[in-house]
């Protein structure tokens, strides 16, 4: 029975994350999730207090997915620069596959969720950019004088800017 409960909760998170990434957060209701996985809304609420709690679990799953992707990229790369370029390609591909409303809906309808998530779990992308920069310095690919904090925050700012659907409309860019 316990395994089944864990399996149902995991399935809800996995399927809800797919729906959120494809359609945005606002467009995906608890009813839609329940129908999609063929469970009752009652079953949903036995596992999650509300949509925001589910979204928090989805962000954890998304972070884990990105971490696995990062590890594959690191293993396939000869050096930090190659990893950075592969990582950039992966991020750009993901941005093409993820509905821009996913990010904007979280910011608009769940203010503070991303900040609290990053406080609790750390900012995965920021941590990996710092790691890549440090590796790049050790490998001689980046200047020893580079400030890894400034480097990582600059790249993060660019990524955030690219996610801005008003600044970079998806159909145009």
């Amino acid at each position: 029975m316990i395994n089944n409960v864990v399996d149902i909760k995991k399935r809800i998170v996995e399927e809800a994350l797919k729906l959120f990434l494809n359609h945005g957060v606002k467009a995906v209701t608890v009813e839609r999730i329940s129908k999609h996985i063929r469970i009752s809304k009652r079953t949903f609420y036995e596992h999650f207090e509300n949509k925001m709690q589910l979204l928090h679990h989805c962000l954890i799953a998304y972070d884990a997915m990105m971490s696995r992707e990062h590890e594959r990229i690191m293993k396939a790369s000869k050096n930090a620069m190659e990893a950075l370029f592969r990582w950039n390609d992966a991020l750009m591909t993901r941005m093409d596959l993820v509905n821009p409303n996913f990010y904007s809906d979280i910011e608009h309808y769940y203010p503070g969720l991303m900040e609290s998530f990053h406080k609790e779990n750390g900012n995965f992308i920021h941590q990996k950019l710092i790691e890549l920069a440090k590796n790049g310095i050790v490998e001689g690919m980046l200047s020893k004088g580079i400030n890894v904090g400034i480097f990582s925050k600059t790249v993060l700012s660019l990524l955030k800017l690219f996610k801005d659907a008003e600044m970079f409309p998806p159909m145009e860019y």
Side-chain angles (χ1 to χ4, degrees):
M1 180 71 181
I2 291 176
N3 246 359
N4 195 28
V5 169
V6 172
D7 290 343
I8 290 171
K9 188 170 185 171
K10 183 179 177 189
R11 189 166 155 243
I12 292 170
V13 170
E14 288 172 354
E15 294 301 318
L17 179 58
K18 288 177 192 173
L19 290 170
F20 290 149
L21 291 172
N22 288 325
H23 305 286
V25 175
K26 182 182 180 212
V28 178
T29 63
V30 169
E31 184 173 349
R32 184 174 180 181
I33 295 165
S34 300
K35 282 182 180 178
H36 179 75
I37 4 182
R38 296 187 174 117
I39 62 168
S40 68
K41 282 173 55 176
R42 180 175 177 251
T43 300
F44 174 90
Y45 286 113
E46 286 173 1
H47 297 282
F48 299 97
E49 254 180 63
N50 51 38
K51 186 176 169 182
M52 187 162 136
Q53 185 184 40
L54 168 64
L55 186 54
H56 179 81
H57 283 271
C58 287
L59 290 173
I60 292 169
Y62 191 58
D63 210 41
M65 183 175 72
M66 288 194 326
S67 181
R68 288 188 302 273
E69 180 180 59
H70 174 76
E71 292 308 316
R72 282 192 301 273
I73 288 169
M74 293 304 290
K75 286 179 183 174
S77 302
K78 295 175 190 154
N79 56 52
M81 289 308 279
E82 182 179 336
L84 187 59
F85 286 117
R86 284 179 187 240
W87 205 48
N88 180 62
D89 289 344
L91 287 171
M92 292 299 122
T93 299
R94 187 177 317 112
M95 285 175 64
D96 284 342
L97 299 174
V98 173
N99 186 316
N101 291 336
F102 174 71
Y103 300 105
S104 61
D105 286 353
I106 292 172
E107 293 293 322
H108 187 265
Y109 297 103
Y110 300 93
L113 179 63
M114 289 303 289
E115 290 80 13
S116 66
F117 176 79
H118 287 146
K119 280 182 186 173
E120 183 181 315
N121 300 288
N123 185 330
F124 169 80
I125 294 173
H126 184 245
Q127 293 165 351
K128 295 307 172 185
L129 284 168
I130 287 174
E131 179 184 312
L132 280 171
K134 287 179 178 178
N135 289 346
I137 291 168
V138 169
E139 294 167 355
M141 299 285 190
L142 293 175
S143 169
K144 288 182 183 178
I146 193 170
N147 182 313
V148 294
I150 292 173
F151 172 84
S152 62
K153 291 200 181 231
T154 301
V155 174
L156 273 176
S157 295
L158 288 171
L159 290 172
K160 188 174 184 177
L161 184 64
F162 289 140
K163 287 190 278 186
D164 184 340
E166 287 181 29
M167 177 79 71
F168 293 100
M171 299 311 274
E172 191 176 331
Y173 294 94

